[in-house]
PDB file of all heavy atoms in Angstrom:
ATOM      1  N   ASP B 369       5.447  70.052 182.949  1.00  0.00           N
ATOM      2  CA  ASP B 369       6.604  70.781 182.366  1.00  0.00           C
ATOM      3  C   ASP B 369       6.713  70.433 180.879  1.00  0.00           C
ATOM      4  O   ASP B 369       6.938  71.283 180.021  1.00  0.00           O
ATOM      5  CB  ASP B 369       7.884  70.360 183.060  1.00  0.00           C
ATOM      6  CG  ASP B 369       7.913  70.769 184.518  1.00  0.00           C
ATOM      7  OD1 ASP B 369       7.157  71.690 184.860  1.00  0.00           O
ATOM      8  OD2 ASP B 369       8.598  70.138 185.337  1.00  0.00           O
ATOM      9  N   HIS B 370       6.554  69.112 180.617  1.00  0.00           N
ATOM     10  CA  HIS B 370       6.690  68.667 179.214  1.00  0.00           C
ATOM     11  C   HIS B 370       5.583  69.208 178.362  1.00  0.00           C
ATOM     12  O   HIS B 370       5.809  69.596 177.222  1.00  0.00           O
ATOM     13  CB  HIS B 370       6.721  67.120 179.184  1.00  0.00           C
ATOM     14  CG  HIS B 370       8.071  66.580 179.563  1.00  0.00           C
ATOM     15  ND1 HIS B 370       8.982  66.129 178.671  1.00  0.00           N
ATOM     16  CD2 HIS B 370       8.642  66.450 180.795  1.00  0.00           C
ATOM     17  CE1 HIS B 370      10.062  65.714 179.292  1.00  0.00           C
ATOM     18  NE2 HIS B 370       9.875  65.903 180.591  1.00  0.00           N
ATOM     19  N   ILE B 371       4.335  69.196 178.908  1.00  0.00           N
ATOM     20  CA  ILE B 371       3.178  69.693 178.145  1.00  0.00           C
ATOM     21  C   ILE B 371       3.408  71.177 177.797  1.00  0.00           C
ATOM     22  O   ILE B 371       3.267  71.598 176.632  1.00  0.00           O
ATOM     23  CB  ILE B 371       1.899  69.529 178.933  1.00  0.00           C
ATOM     24  CG1 ILE B 371       1.569  68.062 178.968  1.00  0.00           C
ATOM     25  CG2 ILE B 371       0.763  70.351 178.336  1.00  0.00           C
ATOM     26  CD1 ILE B 371       0.214  67.788 179.537  1.00  0.00           C
ATOM     27  N   LEU B 372       3.854  71.951 178.772  1.00  0.00           N
ATOM     28  CA  LEU B 372       4.052  73.365 178.557  1.00  0.00           C
ATOM     29  C   LEU B 372       5.117  73.588 177.473  1.00  0.00           C
ATOM     30  O   LEU B 372       4.941  74.369 176.555  1.00  0.00           O
ATOM     31  CB  LEU B 372       4.501  74.023 179.884  1.00  0.00           C
ATOM     32  CG  LEU B 372       4.598  75.520 179.897  1.00  0.00           C
ATOM     33  CD1 LEU B 372       3.197  76.106 179.693  1.00  0.00           C
ATOM     34  CD2 LEU B 372       5.172  76.012 181.179  1.00  0.00           C
ATOM     35  N   ILE B 373       6.234  72.842 177.588  1.00  0.00           N
ATOM     36  CA  ILE B 373       7.332  73.069 176.659  1.00  0.00           C
ATOM     37  C   ILE B 373       6.919  72.648 175.232  1.00  0.00           C
ATOM     38  O   ILE B 373       7.172  73.364 174.251  1.00  0.00           O
ATOM     39  CB  ILE B 373       8.576  72.252 177.112  1.00  0.00           C
ATOM     40  CG1 ILE B 373       9.180  72.890 178.330  1.00  0.00           C
ATOM     41  CG2 ILE B 373       9.592  72.167 176.022  1.00  0.00           C
ATOM     42  CD1 ILE B 373       9.528  74.337 178.186  1.00  0.00           C
ATOM     43  N   HIS B 374       6.178  71.551 175.107  1.00  0.00           N
ATOM     44  CA  HIS B 374       5.782  71.090 173.778  1.00  0.00           C
ATOM     45  C   HIS B 374       4.771  72.104 173.181  1.00  0.00           C
ATOM     46  O   HIS B 374       4.855  72.389 172.005  1.00  0.00           O
ATOM     47  CB  HIS B 374       5.165  69.711 173.847  1.00  0.00           C
ATOM     48  CG  HIS B 374       6.184  68.620 173.791  1.00  0.00           C
ATOM     49  ND1 HIS B 374       6.473  67.882 172.718  1.00  0.00           N
ATOM     50  CD2 HIS B 374       7.025  68.176 174.778  1.00  0.00           C
ATOM     51  CE1 HIS B 374       7.419  67.034 172.975  1.00  0.00           C
ATOM     52  NE2 HIS B 374       7.789  67.170 174.258  1.00  0.00           N
ATOM     53  N   ALA B 375       3.883  72.617 174.023  1.00  0.00           N
ATOM     54  CA  ALA B 375       2.934  73.607 173.501  1.00  0.00           C
ATOM     55  C   ALA B 375       3.616  74.856 173.060  1.00  0.00           C
ATOM     56  O   ALA B 375       3.337  75.414 171.979  1.00  0.00           O
ATOM     57  CB  ALA B 375       1.872  73.930 174.592  1.00  0.00           C
ATOM     58  N   VAL B 376       4.590  75.318 173.861  1.00  0.00           N
ATOM     59  CA  VAL B 376       5.304  76.568 173.514  1.00  0.00           C
ATOM     60  C   VAL B 376       6.097  76.346 172.225  1.00  0.00           C
ATOM     61  O   VAL B 376       6.029  77.212 171.308  1.00  0.00           O
ATOM     62  CB  VAL B 376       6.256  76.984 174.663  1.00  0.00           C
ATOM     63  CG1 VAL B 376       7.267  77.987 174.175  1.00  0.00           C
ATOM     64  CG2 VAL B 376       5.443  77.562 175.799  1.00  0.00           C
ATOM     65  N   LEU B 377       6.788  75.219 172.099  1.00  0.00           N
ATOM     66  CA  LEU B 377       7.589  74.969 170.915  1.00  0.00           C
ATOM     67  C   LEU B 377       6.683  74.910 169.709  1.00  0.00           C
ATOM     68  O   LEU B 377       7.031  75.426 168.638  1.00  0.00           O
ATOM     69  CB  LEU B 377       8.317  73.622 171.042  1.00  0.00           C
ATOM     70  CG  LEU B 377       9.629  73.690 171.804  1.00  0.00           C
ATOM     71  CD1 LEU B 377      10.137  72.319 172.018  1.00  0.00           C
ATOM     72  CD2 LEU B 377      10.635  74.534 171.012  1.00  0.00           C
ATOM     73  N   HIS B 378       5.537  74.282 169.881  1.00  0.00           N
ATOM     74  CA  HIS B 378       4.624  74.159 168.743  1.00  0.00           C
ATOM     75  C   HIS B 378       4.098  75.496 168.340  1.00  0.00           C
ATOM     76  O   HIS B 378       3.964  75.796 167.141  1.00  0.00           O
ATOM     77  CB  HIS B 378       3.500  73.225 169.142  1.00  0.00           C
ATOM     78  CG  HIS B 378       2.936  72.613 167.911  1.00  0.00           C
ATOM     79  ND1 HIS B 378       3.597  71.652 167.211  1.00  0.00           N
ATOM     80  CD2 HIS B 378       1.879  72.989 167.168  1.00  0.00           C
ATOM     81  CE1 HIS B 378       2.926  71.396 166.125  1.00  0.00           C
ATOM     82  NE2 HIS B 378       1.891  72.214 166.079  1.00  0.00           N
ATOM     83  N   LEU B 379       3.749  76.296 169.336  1.00  0.00           N
ATOM     84  CA  LEU B 379       3.237  77.646 169.074  1.00  0.00           C
ATOM     85  C   LEU B 379       4.265  78.467 168.310  1.00  0.00           C
ATOM     86  O   LEU B 379       3.949  79.115 167.317  1.00  0.00           O
ATOM     87  CB  LEU B 379       2.871  78.300 170.393  1.00  0.00           C
ATOM     88  CG  LEU B 379       2.232  79.690 170.264  1.00  0.00           C
ATOM     89  CD1 LEU B 379       0.921  79.585 169.546  1.00  0.00           C
ATOM     90  CD2 LEU B 379       2.037  80.321 171.639  1.00  0.00           C
ATOM     91  N   VAL B 380       5.526  78.408 168.803  1.00  0.00           N
ATOM     92  CA  VAL B 380       6.576  79.200 168.189  1.00  0.00           C
ATOM     93  C   VAL B 380       6.783  78.789 166.715  1.00  0.00           C
ATOM     94  O   VAL B 380       6.863  79.604 165.795  1.00  0.00           O
ATOM     95  CB  VAL B 380       7.895  79.067 168.967  1.00  0.00           C
ATOM     96  CG1 VAL B 380       9.058  79.648 168.194  1.00  0.00           C
ATOM     97  CG2 VAL B 380       7.791  79.770 170.306  1.00  0.00           C
ATOM     98  N   SER B 381       6.823  77.461 166.495  1.00  0.00           N
ATOM     99  CA  SER B 381       7.102  77.034 165.126  1.00  0.00           C
ATOM    100  C   SER B 381       5.942  77.326 164.198  1.00  0.00           C
ATOM    101  O   SER B 381       6.118  77.809 163.076  1.00  0.00           O
ATOM    102  CB  SER B 381       7.436  75.513 165.086  1.00  0.00           C
ATOM    103  OG  SER B 381       6.328  74.784 165.504  1.00  0.00           O
ATOM    104  N   SER B 382       4.687  77.136 164.722  1.00  0.00           N
ATOM    105  CA  SER B 382       3.509  77.457 163.877  1.00  0.00           C
ATOM    106  C   SER B 382       3.483  78.933 163.578  1.00  0.00           C
ATOM    107  O   SER B 382       3.210  79.350 162.444  1.00  0.00           O
ATOM    108  CB  SER B 382       2.204  77.056 164.551  1.00  0.00           C
ATOM    109  OG  SER B 382       2.294  75.802 165.041  1.00  0.00           O
ATOM    110  N   ALA B 383       3.760  79.756 164.600  1.00  0.00           N
ATOM    111  CA  ALA B 383       3.688  81.210 164.433  1.00  0.00           C
ATOM    112  C   ALA B 383       4.705  81.652 163.374  1.00  0.00           C
ATOM    113  O   ALA B 383       4.379  82.463 162.518  1.00  0.00           O
ATOM    114  CB  ALA B 383       3.973  81.921 165.742  1.00  0.00           C
ATOM    115  N   LEU B 384       5.936  81.065 163.427  1.00  0.00           N
ATOM    116  CA  LEU B 384       6.953  81.438 162.455  1.00  0.00           C
ATOM    117  C   LEU B 384       6.511  81.151 161.044  1.00  0.00           C
ATOM    118  O   LEU B 384       6.572  81.999 160.162  1.00  0.00           O
ATOM    119  CB  LEU B 384       8.228  80.647 162.735  1.00  0.00           C
ATOM    120  CG  LEU B 384       9.250  81.286 163.680  1.00  0.00           C
ATOM    121  CD1 LEU B 384      10.412  80.356 163.910  1.00  0.00           C
ATOM    122  CD2 LEU B 384       9.720  82.592 163.071  1.00  0.00           C
ATOM    123  N   VAL B 385       5.977  79.905 160.825  1.00  0.00           N
ATOM    124  CA  VAL B 385       5.577  79.527 159.474  1.00  0.00           C
ATOM    125  C   VAL B 385       4.381  80.354 158.986  1.00  0.00           C
ATOM    126  O   VAL B 385       4.321  80.796 157.840  1.00  0.00           O
ATOM    127  CB  VAL B 385       5.241  78.014 159.419  1.00  0.00           C
ATOM    128  CG1 VAL B 385       4.761  77.631 158.045  1.00  0.00           C
ATOM    129  CG2 VAL B 385       6.495  77.218 159.752  1.00  0.00           C
ATOM    130  N   THR B 386       3.443  80.607 159.925  1.00  0.00           N
ATOM    131  CA  THR B 386       2.249  81.385 159.547  1.00  0.00           C
ATOM    132  C   THR B 386       2.627  82.789 159.177  1.00  0.00           C
ATOM    133  O   THR B 386       2.222  83.325 158.129  1.00  0.00           O
ATOM    134  CB  THR B 386       1.272  81.399 160.748  1.00  0.00           C
ATOM    135  OG1 THR B 386       1.078  80.080 161.221  1.00  0.00           O
ATOM    136  CG2 THR B 386      -0.065  81.990 160.321  1.00  0.00           C
ATOM    137  N   VAL B 387       3.499  83.433 159.978  1.00  0.00           N
ATOM    138  CA  VAL B 387       3.895  84.789 159.703  1.00  0.00           C
ATOM    139  C   VAL B 387       4.653  84.850 158.366  1.00  0.00           C
ATOM    140  O   VAL B 387       4.464  85.736 157.548  1.00  0.00           O
ATOM    141  CB  VAL B 387       4.783  85.328 160.862  1.00  0.00           C
ATOM    142  CG1 VAL B 387       5.474  86.610 160.431  1.00  0.00           C
ATOM    143  CG2 VAL B 387       3.902  85.601 162.070  1.00  0.00           C
ATOM    144  N   LEU B 388       5.469  83.806 158.147  1.00  0.00           N
ATOM    145  CA  LEU B 388       6.228  83.728 156.893  1.00  0.00           C
ATOM    146  C   LEU B 388       5.274  83.655 155.712  1.00  0.00           C
ATOM    147  O   LEU B 388       5.429  84.333 154.686  1.00  0.00           O
ATOM    148  CB  LEU B 388       7.120  82.483 156.922  1.00  0.00           C
ATOM    149  CG  LEU B 388       8.411  82.557 156.158  1.00  0.00           C
ATOM    150  CD1 LEU B 388       9.383  83.505 156.886  1.00  0.00           C
ATOM    151  CD2 LEU B 388       9.030  81.159 156.103  1.00  0.00           C
ATOM    152  N   PHE B 389       4.236  82.810 155.813  1.00  0.00           N
ATOM    153  CA  PHE B 389       3.269  82.603 154.718  1.00  0.00           C
ATOM    154  C   PHE B 389       2.524  83.903 154.414  1.00  0.00           C
ATOM    155  O   PHE B 389       2.510  84.358 153.239  1.00  0.00           O
ATOM    156  CB  PHE B 389       2.303  81.479 155.086  1.00  0.00           C
ATOM    157  CG  PHE B 389       1.250  81.252 154.055  1.00  0.00           C
ATOM    158  CD1 PHE B 389       1.501  80.578 152.868  1.00  0.00           C
ATOM    159  CD2 PHE B 389      -0.054  81.741 154.284  1.00  0.00           C
ATOM    160  CE1 PHE B 389       0.526  80.387 151.939  1.00  0.00           C
ATOM    161  CE2 PHE B 389      -1.006  81.532 153.332  1.00  0.00           C
ATOM    162  CZ  PHE B 389      -0.746  80.876 152.159  1.00  0.00           C
TER     163      PHE B 389
END
Side-chain angles (χ1 to χ4, degrees):
Chain B
D369 297 336
H370 282 258
I371 289 190
L372 188 67
I373 288 304
H374 277 258
V376 164
L377 276 173
H378 204 75
L379 183 64
V380 168
S381 64
S382 310
L384 269 177
V385 177
T386 311
V387 167
L388 211 69
F389 176 77

